[in-house]
Amino acid sequence: MRRMLVPIGLALLLSGCAAQPSIPPLPEPTDAPATAAPSAAPTASAPVTVVDRYPGLPPGAALDETFEPGWVADVPGRIALVTFGSSSCPVEPVSYDRDSTEALSLWAEYTGESEVCTADMAATTFVIELPEGFADDGDVLVNGEPAPRLG
């Protein structure tokens, strides 16, 4: 009798394990900014002209230990915007708010097609042309949050 109970008990144990709910899949990796961002880009937006993009900080920039987007003046009419996140899936500037007159209000997001992002924290610099009417010594907002000057 005991010989029959062992296989039956083992079968019940294994079937009980199979009936456990599965663990839900992990969410897709994102490279969203560390601060809460508005749910959508401004409605009166225009595309940003990215002149150059490279890993790391621009010359003369000091690392901001908050890892929030920041910027430095580049050449007249341009700024270098620095974002932090995955080096293979950087957050990049895509548009600016045309209605903003007090500050350059940029919208930045991950725009790549990579399904796998590295789990590192790296700086990526985007040199952008300033829209007409904005100076390289004004205030810059990224996704609604003030971006500090890094140098």
Side-chain angles (χ1 to χ4, degrees):
M1 178 86 160
R2 278 188 160 177
R3 287 186 182 191
M4 287 180 66
L5 291 177
V6 171
I8 292 172
L10 184 58
L12 288 173
L13 179 66
L14 291 176
S15 68
C17 290
Q20 295 295 324
S22 63
I23 298 173
L26 292 174
E28 290 295 319
T30 64
D31 197 32
T35 60
S39 59
T43 55
S45 64
V48 170
T49 302
V50 176
V51 177
D52 194 11
R53 169 186 162 173
Y54 53 89
L57 296 170
L63 179 64
D64 181 359
E65 294 181 15
T66 64
F67 299 110
E68 297 297 324
W71 65 281
V72 296
D74 186 50
V75 297
R78 295 182 182 169
I79 63 169
L81 179 70
V82 180
T83 63
F84 295 92
S86 170
S87 62
S88 62
C89 303
V91 172
E92 57 189 274
V94 293
S95 63
Y96 72 95
D97 184 355
R98 290 187 311 210
D99 291 339
S100 176
T101 56
E102 295 178 19
L104 175 59
S105 183
L106 297 169
W107 180 259
E109 61 188 28
Y110 169 64
T111 63
E113 296 179 11
S114 176
E115 291 183 18
V116 179
C117 297
T118 55
D120 60 351
M121 179 63 75
T124 303
T125 297
F126 298 88
V127 178
I128 63 172
E129 286 188 14
L130 288 170
E132 191 173 320
F134 291 97
D136 61 6
D137 62 351
D139 293 328
V140 176
L141 303 173
V142 177
N143 295 354
E145 298 292 323
R149 194 167 185 157
L150 301 176

